[in-house]
């Protein structure tokens, strides 16, 4: 049984049922029942049209469930709608399913979980393991999300920006356990790019590929973080970099710049440098200026301060940093780095220790703690 095939077919089958009038929660249950049936029967008798088989079986499962609790007239109306067995429609409804899972009434965490379940085809247990939460907690989160979107209509234009934000959140979760969320986000974004022609979809896919290309070099054998400047660039995935750059160039050529394209352009400049010392920081600052204009994000301006420090010297970077709120996440870490480059080791050590205390992840906290210890030893 090809699990990857079933996962790739799941969103299209679910979208067909929803388009026919099934509410989201009931449709998702019916599709899961059909998948179970496929696992049982396909090894001995594989269908010629896998998607058509799943649509037929899932619709019948939905009707069986509806017959148990609906009036006779409604049952008869639904039975009349049952399609004859045969090839599934060529139309791809996956895009509408993305929009439904990224419904604005959902919280970001619920939208991510529902996307992984409905579009990604992951089980509740797999999603729970990836997010390091109890399976019961994740099941409740997904159930609430399904109830929320059950009455939503699929005939209205979707918000591409919301869909992309959800996929970006999935990617940023990284990976843990048996589900690699970064790779899963890339797979889902590829799928989205196949059904919608939008430069920001391409920009997000390029950004993911360029960041993911550095994955093997990001950690040392002991699991500790390796900063970008110290990474072994021979371990970067040149194939993923080449693909990401090509996708980005095609998107930028359409002259409809968005934040994901700008972020991908910055990542491409890092990937283009054979050595850290050869990074084109001046151009990176220019892209951060574009990104800041697009987003107005203080986090973008924080990252820009680092780039300014590399392009024009640490004093210039500290001047840019002084314009920002010190309560920003990772503000202390950026300040520590710039003060160290400026030769103020005492202030840098103190700020590294402060940043370590605020770090959201263990690996980051360990790295910052080691930086503070290193500078204290030098003093």
């Amino acid at each position: 049984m090809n699990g990857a095939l079933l996962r790739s077919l799941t969103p299209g089958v679910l979208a067909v049922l929803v388009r026919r009038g099934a509410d989201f929660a009931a449709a998702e249950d019916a599709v899961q029942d059909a998948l179970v049936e496929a696992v049982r029967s396909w090894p001995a008798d594989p269908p010629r049209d896998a998607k058509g088989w799943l649509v037929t079986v899932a619709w019948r499962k939905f009707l069986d469930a509806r017959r148990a609790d609906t009036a006779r007239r409604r049952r008869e109306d639904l039975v009349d709608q049952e399609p004859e067995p045969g090839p599934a429609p060529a139309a791809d409804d996956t895009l509408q399913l993305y929009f439904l899972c990224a419904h604005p009434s959902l919280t970001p965490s619920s939208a991510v979980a529902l996307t992984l379940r409905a579009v990604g085809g992951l089980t509740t247990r797999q999603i729970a393991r990836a997010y390091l939460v109890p399976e019961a907690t994740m099941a409740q989160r997904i159930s609430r999300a399904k109830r929320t979107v059950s009455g939503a209509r699929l005939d209205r234009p979707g918000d591409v920006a919301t869909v992309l934000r959800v996929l970006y959140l999935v990617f940023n979760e990284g990976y843990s356990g048996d589900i690699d969320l970064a790779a899963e986000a890339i797979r889902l974004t590829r799928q989205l790019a196949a059904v919608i022609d939008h430069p920001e979809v391409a920009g997000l896919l390029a950004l993911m590929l360029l960041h993911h290309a550095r994955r093997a070099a990001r950690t040392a054998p002991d699991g500790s973080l390796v900063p970008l400047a110290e990474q072994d660039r021979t371990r970067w995935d040149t194939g993923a970099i080449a693909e990401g750059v090509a996708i980005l160039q095609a998107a930028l050529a359409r002259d409809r710049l968005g934040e994901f394209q700008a972020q991908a352009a910055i990542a491409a400049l890092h990937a283009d440098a054979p050595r850290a010392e050869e990074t084109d920081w001046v151009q990176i600052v220019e892209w951060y200026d574009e990104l800041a204009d697009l987003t107005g994000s203080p986090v973008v301006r924080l990252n820009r301060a680092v780039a300014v420090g590399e392009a024009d010297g640490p004093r210039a970077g500290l001047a840019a940093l002084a314009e920002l709120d010190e309560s920003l996440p990772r503000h202390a870490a950026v300040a520590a780095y710039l003060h160290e480059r400026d030769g103020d080791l005492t202030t840098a050590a103190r700020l590294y220790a402060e940043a370590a205390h605020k770090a959201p992840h263990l690996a980051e906290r360990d790295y910052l703690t080691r930086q503070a210890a290193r500078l204290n030893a030098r003093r």
Side-chain angles (χ1 to χ4, degrees):
M1 171 54 58
N2 190 332
L5 173 62
L6 288 178
R7 285 176 59 193
S8 68
L9 294 174
T10 295
V13 175
L14 178 55
V16 169
L17 266 64
V18 172
R19 180 164 52 81
R20 288 180 180 172
D23 69 86
F24 187 91
E28 209 269 343
D29 289 341
V31 171
Q32 293 301 317
D33 288 341
L35 293 175
V36 171
E37 192 69 26
V39 171
R40 292 173 180 167
S41 64
W42 283 13
D45 185 21
R48 284 180 294 181
D49 177 14
K51 182 179 178 181
W53 187 99
L54 285 171
V55 168
T56 299
V57 173
W59 186 249
R60 287 175 178 167
K61 296 285 187 183
F62 167 70
L63 292 177
D64 288 344
R66 182 57 64 90
R67 288 188 183 101
D69 58 8
T70 59
R72 179 179 179 81
R73 179 174 296 179
R74 180 58 180 156
R75 286 205 310 267
E76 292 173 351
D77 289 342
L78 288 171
V79 171
D80 289 340
Q81 298 172 25
E82 181 174 355
E84 294 297 324
D92 193 334
D93 299 299
T94 304
L95 179 58
Q96 291 180 318
L97 193 60
Y98 273 98
F99 291 138
L100 189 61
C101 292
H103 197 274
S105 61
L106 294 175
T107 64
S109 61
S110 294
V112 167
L114 192 59
T115 298
L116 288 172
R117 174 62 185 257
V119 185
L122 303 184
T123 66
T124 302
R125 177 173 295 179
Q126 288 173 321
I127 300 170
R129 285 178 177 174
Y131 280 88
L132 303 178
V133 299
E135 185 176 352
T137 300
M138 185 57 68
Q140 291 175 352
R141 185 180 301 174
I142 293 172
S143 294
R144 285 195 300 268
K146 288 196 292 185
R147 287 196 299 270
T148 298
V149 303
S150 285
R153 295 170 62 87
L154 276 178
D155 58 353
R156 298 176 182 174
D159 183 358
V160 176
T162 303
V163 174
L164 295 181
R165 186 63 54 194
V166 169
L167 290 173
Y168 190 51
L169 288 172
V170 175
F171 181 80
N172 283 341
E173 287 296 330
Y175 62 96
S176 62
D178 58 348
I179 296 298
D180 184 335
L181 289 180
E184 183 66 14
I186 292 173
R187 186 183 74 83
L188 294 177
T189 306
R190 283 191 191 279
Q191 189 179 67
L192 181 62
V195 295
I196 184 171
D197 182 22
H198 193 292
E200 272 294 81
V201 176
L204 179 58
L205 179 57
L207 175 64
M208 289 178 175
L209 289 168
L210 289 164
H211 278 312
H212 205 54
R214 303 198 300 260
R215 173 170 165 174
R218 281 200 185 111
T219 55
D222 63 358
S224 59
L225 288 179
V226 179
L228 179 61
E230 299 173 18
Q231 289 177 13
D232 178 359
R233 300 187 177 212
T234 64
R235 300 184 65 197
W236 288 2
D237 184 343
T238 55
I241 290 172
E243 182 185 5
V245 169
I247 292 171
L248 172 63
Q249 288 174 339
L252 291 175
R254 300 176 65 175
D255 199 23
R256 290 170 55 195
L257 184 63
E259 63 174 297
F260 291 120
Q261 294 169 74
Q263 287 190 56
I266 293 169
L269 287 168
H270 283 297
D272 188 54
R275 298 183 304 141
E277 305 83 62
E278 299 176 57
T279 303
D280 188 347
W281 286 105
V282 173
Q283 194 172 169
I284 288 176
V285 171
E286 292 174 356
W287 275 110
Y288 270 123
D289 289 338
E290 293 275 8
L291 189 56
D293 288 342
L294 286 167
T295 66
S297 168
V299 175
V300 169
R301 295 178 64 198
L302 183 69
N303 292 329
R304 178 186 178 276
V306 177
V308 169
E310 299 290 352
D312 301 326
R315 295 284 175 90
L318 287 168
L321 187 65
E323 301 174 1
L324 303 177
D325 189 337
E326 292 185 3
S327 65
L328 277 173
R330 297 184 172 85
H331 185 285
V334 170
Y337 174 73
L338 291 171
H339 276 291
E340 180 184 357
R341 288 203 57 224
D342 195 40
D344 186 351
L345 303 189
T346 300
T347 300
R350 175 180 58 78
L351 288 169
Y352 274 130
E354 179 184 326
H357 180 71
K358 298 177 180 177
H361 304 295
L362 178 61
E364 184 178 347
R365 182 165 70 246
D366 288 346
Y367 170 76
L368 293 168
T369 299
R370 286 196 300 272
Q371 295 297 94
R374 173 179 58 82
L375 293 187
N376 284 325
R378 286 177 58 183
R379 288 165 50 209

